Amino acid sequence: MTLHIETALIASSAMSKEGQTVWLKMEALQPSGSFKLRGIGHACEEYARRGARRFISSSGGNAGLAAACAGRQLGLPVVVVAPETTSARARELMRREQAEVIVHGASFTEANALALSMVGEHDAFIHAFDDPLLWTGHASMIDEVAHAGVTPDAVVLSVGGGGLMCGVIEGLRRNGWDKVPVIAVETDGADSLAQSIEAGARIELPRIASIATSLGSRQVSQAAFDWTRAHPIDSMVVTDKAAVAACIRFMDDHRLVVEPACGASLAVAYAGRPELAGFRNLLVIVCGGVTATVAQLQAWEGTLGAS
Ligand SMILES: *Cc1c(COP(=O)(O)O)cnc(C)c1O
Protein backbone atom coordinates (compact mmCIF):
# COMPACT_ATOMS: atom_id res chain seq x y z
CA MET A 1 0.00 0.00 0.00
CA THR A 2 1.48 3.36 -1.03
CA LEU A 3 0.14 6.87 -0.55
CA HIS A 4 0.31 7.54 -4.28
CA ILE A 5 -1.54 5.66 -6.99
CA GLU A 6 -0.30 3.84 -10.08
CA THR A 7 -1.07 6.23 -12.93
CA ALA A 8 -2.19 5.60 -16.49
CA LEU A 9 0.33 5.43 -19.33
CA ILE A 10 -1.36 6.62 -22.52
CA ALA A 11 -0.17 6.74 -26.12
CA SER A 12 -1.22 10.23 -27.21
CA SER A 13 -2.73 10.27 -30.67
CA ALA A 14 -2.72 14.07 -30.52
CA MET A 15 1.06 14.26 -30.00
CA SER A 16 2.32 11.15 -31.79
CA LYS A 17 3.52 11.51 -35.34
CA GLU A 18 4.79 9.32 -38.15
CA GLY A 19 7.58 7.20 -36.67
CA GLN A 20 7.12 8.47 -33.10
CA THR A 21 4.74 7.40 -30.35
CA VAL A 22 4.41 9.91 -27.53
CA TRP A 23 3.61 8.20 -24.22
CA LEU A 24 2.07 10.23 -21.43
CA LYS A 25 2.65 9.24 -17.80
CA MET A 26 -0.39 10.83 -16.22
CA GLU A 27 0.96 12.08 -12.89
CA ALA A 28 -1.67 14.83 -12.92
CA LEU A 29 -4.05 12.10 -11.76
CA GLN A 30 -2.33 11.60 -8.40
CA PRO A 31 -4.72 12.38 -5.52
CA SER A 32 -2.70 15.53 -4.72
CA GLY A 33 -2.75 16.56 -8.39
CA SER A 34 0.96 16.16 -9.10
CA PHE A 35 3.80 13.63 -9.12
CA LYS A 36 5.05 15.06 -5.82
CA LEU A 37 2.93 12.65 -3.82
CA ARG A 38 5.20 9.80 -4.93
CA GLY A 39 8.36 11.16 -3.36
CA ILE A 40 6.80 13.07 -0.52
CA GLY A 41 4.53 10.14 0.34
CA HIS A 42 7.54 7.84 0.44
CA ALA A 43 9.54 10.32 2.56
CA CYS A 44 6.67 10.88 5.00
CA GLU A 45 6.17 7.12 5.45
CA GLU A 46 9.87 6.68 6.09
CA TYR A 47 10.08 9.59 8.55
CA ALA A 48 6.99 8.27 10.38
CA ARG A 49 8.66 4.87 10.65
CA ARG A 50 11.70 6.61 12.16
CA GLY A 51 9.46 8.25 14.76
CA ALA A 52 8.32 11.57 13.29
CA ARG A 53 5.01 12.74 14.75
CA ARG A 54 4.52 15.85 12.63
CA PHE A 55 5.53 17.06 9.17
CA ILE A 56 6.60 20.60 8.35
CA SER A 57 6.75 22.04 4.83
CA SER A 58 7.45 25.51 3.49
CA SER A 59 5.86 25.07 0.09
CA GLY A 60 2.74 26.98 -0.85
CA GLY A 61 2.33 24.77 -3.90
CA ASN A 62 2.20 21.15 -4.93
CA ALA A 63 4.81 19.98 -2.41
CA GLY A 64 2.85 21.45 0.50
CA LEU A 65 -0.30 19.86 -0.84
CA ALA A 66 1.41 16.48 -1.23
CA ALA A 67 2.70 16.71 2.37
CA ALA A 68 -0.81 17.56 3.56
CA CYS A 69 -2.23 14.63 1.62
CA ALA A 70 0.43 12.23 2.97
CA GLY A 71 0.00 13.40 6.57
CA ARG A 72 -3.76 13.01 6.44
CA GLN A 73 -3.43 9.45 5.14
CA LEU A 74 -0.85 8.61 7.82
CA GLY A 75 -2.92 10.27 10.56
CA LEU A 76 -0.14 12.74 11.41
CA PRO A 77 -0.46 16.55 11.60
CA VAL A 78 1.07 18.73 8.91
CA VAL A 79 2.13 22.37 9.20
CA VAL A 80 2.70 24.31 5.99
CA VAL A 81 4.37 27.71 6.28
CA ALA A 82 3.47 29.45 3.03
CA PRO A 83 4.60 32.87 1.84
CA GLU A 84 2.06 35.67 1.34
CA THR A 85 2.28 35.13 -2.42
CA THR A 86 0.51 31.77 -2.04
CA SER A 87 -2.90 31.93 -3.68
CA ALA A 88 -6.07 31.72 -1.62
CA ARG A 89 -6.93 28.66 -3.66
CA ALA A 90 -3.71 26.82 -2.74
CA ARG A 91 -4.23 27.62 0.95
CA GLU A 92 -7.79 26.35 0.75
CA LEU A 93 -6.69 23.11 -0.94
CA MET A 94 -4.12 22.45 1.79
CA ARG A 95 -6.63 23.20 4.55
CA ARG A 96 -9.06 20.84 2.88
CA GLU A 97 -6.41 18.15 3.37
CA GLN A 98 -6.43 19.14 7.06
CA ALA A 99 -3.03 20.85 7.07
CA GLU A 100 -2.44 23.83 9.35
CA VAL A 101 -1.44 26.66 7.00
CA ILE A 102 0.60 29.53 8.44
CA VAL A 103 1.01 32.47 6.06
CA HIS A 104 4.32 34.18 6.68
CA GLY A 105 6.78 36.40 4.81
CA ALA A 106 7.00 38.08 1.44
CA SER A 107 8.80 35.19 -0.26
CA PHE A 108 9.83 31.58 0.09
CA THR A 109 13.03 32.62 1.92
CA GLU A 110 11.16 34.03 4.95
CA ALA A 111 8.56 31.25 5.00
CA ASN A 112 11.27 28.62 4.80
CA ALA A 113 13.24 30.22 7.65
CA LEU A 114 10.20 30.16 9.94
CA ALA A 115 9.38 26.57 8.94
CA LEU A 116 12.93 25.43 9.74
CA SER A 117 12.85 27.23 13.10
CA MET A 118 9.72 25.25 14.04
CA VAL A 119 11.29 21.84 13.47
CA GLY A 120 11.54 20.08 16.82
CA GLU A 121 12.77 16.68 17.92
CA HIS A 122 9.63 14.83 16.80
CA ASP A 123 9.14 16.69 13.52
CA ALA A 124 10.30 15.90 10.00
CA PHE A 125 11.00 18.73 7.59
CA ILE A 126 9.71 17.85 4.13
CA HIS A 127 11.79 19.45 1.39
CA ALA A 128 10.16 20.13 -1.97
CA PHE A 129 12.95 18.62 -4.10
CA ASP A 130 16.27 18.06 -2.32
CA ASP A 131 15.98 14.78 -0.40
CA PRO A 132 17.13 11.32 -1.58
CA LEU A 133 13.94 9.80 -0.13
CA LEU A 134 11.93 11.95 -2.54
CA TRP A 135 13.95 10.77 -5.52
CA THR A 136 13.50 7.12 -4.60
CA GLY A 137 9.77 7.71 -4.35
CA HIS A 138 9.56 9.59 -7.66
CA ALA A 139 11.51 6.74 -9.32
CA SER A 140 8.48 4.47 -8.96
CA MET A 141 6.85 6.16 -11.97
CA ILE A 142 9.59 4.68 -14.17
CA ASP A 143 9.13 1.23 -12.59
CA GLU A 144 5.50 1.44 -13.70
CA VAL A 145 6.51 2.31 -17.27
CA ALA A 146 8.87 -0.69 -17.34
CA HIS A 147 6.15 -2.89 -15.88
CA ALA A 148 3.76 -1.76 -18.63
CA GLY A 149 6.25 -3.08 -21.20
CA VAL A 150 7.08 0.32 -22.71
CA THR A 151 10.76 1.10 -23.36
CA PRO A 152 11.30 4.84 -23.78
CA ASP A 153 14.00 6.19 -26.10
CA ALA A 154 13.96 9.52 -24.22
CA VAL A 155 12.06 11.09 -21.31
CA VAL A 156 10.72 14.66 -21.38
CA LEU A 157 10.21 16.26 -17.96
CA SER A 158 10.04 19.67 -16.31
CA VAL A 159 12.71 20.95 -13.94
CA GLY A 160 12.26 23.25 -10.95
CA GLY A 161 14.72 22.29 -8.22
CA GLY A 162 15.42 19.03 -9.99
CA GLY A 163 13.75 16.51 -7.67
CA LEU A 164 11.63 15.04 -10.44
CA MET A 165 14.68 14.75 -12.68
CA CYS A 166 16.76 13.03 -9.95
CA GLY A 167 13.92 10.60 -9.34
CA VAL A 168 13.35 9.79 -13.01
CA ILE A 169 17.07 9.20 -13.56
CA GLU A 170 17.18 6.93 -10.49
CA GLY A 171 14.22 5.04 -11.96
CA LEU A 172 15.82 4.78 -15.39
CA ARG A 173 19.04 3.43 -13.92
CA ARG A 174 17.42 0.90 -11.63
CA ASN A 175 15.59 -0.47 -14.68
CA GLY A 176 18.80 -0.79 -16.70
CA TRP A 177 18.09 2.28 -18.85
CA ASP A 178 21.34 4.11 -18.09
CA LYS A 179 21.65 5.47 -21.61
CA VAL A 180 18.11 6.78 -22.05
CA PRO A 181 18.44 10.56 -22.33
CA VAL A 182 16.40 13.02 -20.30
CA ILE A 183 15.05 16.15 -21.98
CA ALA A 184 14.99 18.65 -19.10
CA VAL A 185 12.56 21.50 -19.79
CA GLU A 186 12.32 24.87 -18.04
CA THR A 187 10.58 28.14 -18.80
CA ASP A 188 12.47 31.28 -19.68
CA GLY A 189 12.97 33.14 -16.38
CA ALA A 190 13.04 29.93 -14.30
CA ASP A 191 15.90 28.32 -16.22
CA SER A 192 18.30 27.64 -13.36
CA LEU A 193 19.41 24.29 -14.80
CA ALA A 194 19.94 25.55 -18.36
CA GLN A 195 22.01 28.47 -17.09
CA SER A 196 24.04 26.21 -14.80
CA ILE A 197 24.88 23.87 -17.67
CA GLU A 198 25.82 26.86 -19.79
CA ALA A 199 28.04 28.31 -17.05
CA GLY A 200 29.57 24.98 -16.11
CA ALA A 201 28.69 25.68 -12.46
CA ARG A 202 25.56 25.61 -10.31
CA ILE A 203 24.36 29.19 -10.60
CA GLU A 204 21.63 30.95 -8.62
CA LEU A 205 19.11 33.09 -10.49
CA PRO A 206 18.73 36.57 -8.97
CA ARG A 207 14.95 36.23 -9.23
CA ILE A 208 12.24 34.17 -10.89
CA ALA A 209 10.67 35.78 -13.93
CA SER A 210 8.18 33.17 -15.13
CA ILE A 211 4.53 32.41 -14.40
CA ALA A 212 5.49 28.73 -14.00
CA THR A 213 5.82 29.14 -10.23
CA SER A 214 6.30 25.41 -9.62
CA LEU A 215 9.55 25.66 -11.61
CA GLY A 216 10.54 28.72 -9.59
CA SER A 217 13.53 27.41 -7.71
CA ARG A 218 16.37 29.92 -8.02
CA GLN A 219 18.92 27.12 -7.84
CA VAL A 220 18.77 23.41 -8.65
CA SER A 221 20.01 20.88 -6.11
CA GLN A 222 23.64 19.76 -6.18
CA ALA A 223 22.47 16.24 -7.01
CA ALA A 224 20.51 17.47 -10.03
CA PHE A 225 23.48 19.43 -11.28
CA ASP A 226 25.81 16.45 -10.75
CA TRP A 227 23.58 14.29 -12.97
CA THR A 228 24.29 16.63 -15.90
CA ARG A 229 27.80 15.16 -15.84
CA ALA A 230 26.84 11.53 -15.25
CA HIS A 231 23.69 10.96 -17.34
CA PRO A 232 22.72 12.11 -20.85
CA ILE A 233 20.65 15.25 -20.30
CA ASP A 234 19.46 17.69 -22.92
CA SER A 235 18.27 21.02 -21.59
CA MET A 236 15.52 22.99 -23.30
CA VAL A 237 13.90 26.33 -22.44
CA VAL A 238 10.43 27.38 -23.62
CA THR A 239 8.56 30.66 -23.21
CA ASP A 240 5.71 31.12 -20.74
CA LYS A 241 3.51 31.74 -23.75
CA ALA A 242 4.37 28.35 -25.28
CA ALA A 243 3.81 26.62 -21.91
CA VAL A 244 0.36 28.17 -21.49
CA ALA A 245 -0.61 27.45 -25.09
CA ALA A 246 0.35 23.80 -24.53
CA CYS A 247 -1.82 23.65 -21.37
CA ILE A 248 -4.81 24.92 -23.32
CA ARG A 249 -4.25 22.54 -26.20
CA PHE A 250 -3.82 19.67 -23.73
CA MET A 251 -7.21 20.46 -22.17
CA ASP A 252 -8.85 19.91 -25.55
CA ASP A 253 -6.76 16.86 -26.46
CA HIS A 254 -6.70 15.01 -23.13
CA ARG A 255 -9.33 16.77 -21.01
CA LEU A 256 -7.03 17.58 -18.10
CA VAL A 257 -6.03 20.89 -16.50
CA VAL A 258 -2.34 21.23 -15.66
CA GLU A 259 -0.05 24.09 -14.61
CA PRO A 260 2.31 25.93 -16.98
CA ALA A 261 5.12 24.10 -15.10
CA CYS A 262 3.78 20.96 -16.76
CA GLY A 263 2.82 22.78 -19.95
CA ALA A 264 6.54 23.46 -20.51
CA SER A 265 7.14 19.75 -21.13
CA LEU A 266 3.95 19.45 -23.18
CA ALA A 267 5.09 22.38 -25.33
CA VAL A 268 8.27 20.49 -26.25
CA ALA A 269 6.28 17.39 -27.17
CA TYR A 270 3.78 19.38 -29.25
CA ALA A 271 6.45 21.40 -31.03
CA GLY A 272 7.98 18.29 -32.60
CA ARG A 273 11.47 19.70 -32.27
CA PRO A 274 14.06 18.31 -34.70
CA GLU A 275 16.24 17.13 -31.77
CA LEU A 276 13.45 14.74 -30.78
CA ALA A 277 12.66 13.43 -34.24
CA GLY A 278 14.78 10.28 -33.92
CA PHE A 279 13.03 8.92 -30.82
CA ARG A 280 10.48 6.22 -31.66
CA ASN A 281 9.06 6.09 -28.14
CA LEU A 282 9.06 9.43 -26.36
CA LEU A 283 7.91 9.38 -22.74
CA VAL A 284 6.49 12.64 -21.41
CA ILE A 285 5.97 13.03 -17.66
CA VAL A 286 2.67 14.87 -17.25
CA CYS A 287 3.69 16.22 -13.86
CA GLY A 288 0.34 18.01 -13.29
CA GLY A 289 -0.09 20.73 -10.67
CA VAL A 290 -3.19 22.17 -9.05
CA THR A 291 -2.44 25.87 -8.70
CA ALA A 292 -3.73 27.02 -12.11
CA THR A 293 -7.42 27.21 -12.96
CA VAL A 294 -8.97 27.20 -16.44
CA ALA A 295 -9.87 30.88 -16.03
CA GLN A 296 -6.28 31.73 -15.10
CA LEU A 297 -4.82 29.80 -18.03
CA GLN A 298 -7.17 31.69 -20.35
CA ALA A 299 -6.25 35.03 -18.77
CA TRP A 300 -2.54 34.27 -19.24
CA GLU A 301 -3.20 33.28 -22.82
CA GLY A 302 -4.71 36.72 -23.35
CA THR A 303 -1.95 38.75 -21.68
CA LEU A 304 0.98 36.70 -23.02
CA GLY A 305 -0.59 36.51 -26.47
CA ALA A 306 -0.62 40.29 -26.63
CA SER A 307 3.02 40.60 -25.59
C1 LIG B 1 7.39 20.57 -8.28
C2 LIG B 1 6.89 20.59 -9.65
C3 LIG B 1 7.76 20.61 -10.75
C4 LIG B 1 9.25 20.67 -10.61
O1 LIG B 1 9.77 19.61 -9.85
P1 LIG B 1 11.23 19.71 -9.21
O2 LIG B 1 11.35 18.45 -8.47
O3 LIG B 1 11.23 20.91 -8.31
O4 LIG B 1 12.18 19.86 -10.31
C5 LIG B 1 7.20 20.57 -12.00
N1 LIG B 1 5.88 20.56 -12.18
C6 LIG B 1 5.01 20.55 -11.16
C7 LIG B 1 3.55 20.53 -11.43
C8 LIG B 1 5.49 20.56 -9.85
O5 LIG B 1 4.64 20.54 -8.83
Side-chain angles (χ1 to χ4, degrees):
M1 197 33 211
T2 56
L3 304 184
H4 67 268
I5 63 164
E6 180 172 345
T7 56
L9 178 66
I10 294 170
S12 171
S13 50
M15 293 182 193
S16 298
K17 14 193 129 29
E18 183 70 42
Q20 181 176 77
T21 304
V22 176
W23 296 92
L24 303 175
K25 187 63 175 153
M26 296 296 231
E27 290 302 298
L29 298 176
Q30 290 294 346
S32 75
S34 82
F35 75 95
K36 285 210 173 65
L37 188 58
R38 286 187 190 265
I40 288 178
H42 176 67
C44 287
E45 279 188 300
E46 182 56 32
Y47 290 129
R49 196 155 32 233
R50 295 179 196 170
R53 289 185 215 145
R54 185 173 74 155
F55 303 123
I56 298 181
S57 159
S58 56
S59 157
N62 298 308
L65 190 58
C69 196
R72 182 183 49 71
Q73 291 190 70
L74 292 168
L76 289 171
V78 178
V79 177
V80 179
V81 185
E84 284 149 15
T85 50
T86 308
S87 69
R89 176 184 150 80
R91 294 177 209 176
E92 172 57 27
L93 289 171
M94 291 188 284
R95 288 188 175 123
R96 229 191 263 167
E97 292 290 336
Q98 293 158 30
E100 179 191 345
V101 180
I102 299 172
V103 178
H104 176 82
S107 76
F108 171 78
T109 311
E110 291 89 19
N112 193 53
L114 177 63
L116 286 173
S117 76
M118 291 173 68
V119 178
E121 197 190 334
H122 301 292
D123 298 320
F125 181 73
I126 307 300
H127 200 282
F129 58 83
D130 196 5
D131 181 340
L133 287 173
L134 254 64
W135 312 332
T136 297
H138 294 336
S140 61
M141 72 181 76
I142 301 299
D143 298 337
E144 289 172 16
V145 173
H147 201 237
V150 171
T151 303
D153 296 310
V155 186
V156 178
L157 53 79
S158 299
V159 173
L164 174 59
M165 187 178 84
C166 287
V168 163
I169 293 175
E170 183 171 325
L172 289 172
R173 296 176 89 91
R174 79 185 184 199
N175 284 283
W177 291 336
D178 303 37
K179 295 196 169 60
V180 173
V182 166
I183 317 296
V185 190
E186 296 168 293
T187 48
D188 199 7
D191 50 341
S192 46
L193 181 69
Q195 290 200 29
S196 295
I197 293 173
E198 174 101 20
R202 193 167 64 111
I203 61 99
E204 186 173 350
L205 296 173
R207 65 191 183 92
I208 296 300
S210 166
I211 54 155
T213 48
S214 295
L215 305 186
S217 168
R218 286 164 54 212
Q219 190 174 41
V220 297
S221 71
Q222 185 64 49
F225 183 66
D226 289 347
W227 274 126
T228 64
R229 293 174 168 164
H231 190 90
I233 294 173
D234 236 334
S235 162
M236 291 189 188
V237 178
V238 303
T239 61
D240 279 351
K241 186 177 168 177
V244 169
C247 290
I248 301 230
R249 198 166 157 191
F250 191 69
M251 282 199 270
D252 284 335
D253 287 341
H254 287 284
R255 304 156 306 276
L256 268 181
V257 181
V258 298
E259 290 179 15
C262 177
S265 282
L266 302 175
V268 164
Y270 275 126
R273 295 212 188 188
E275 304 97 297
L276 305 183
F279 301 124
R280 292 179 56 82
N281 287 290
L282 189 66
L283 174 65
V284 178
I285 307 299
V286 183
C287 48
V290 299
T291 69
T293 60
V294 175
Q296 188 164 31
L297 288 169
Q298 287 168 336
W300 276 323
E301 189 184 35
T303 51
L304 295 167
S307 68

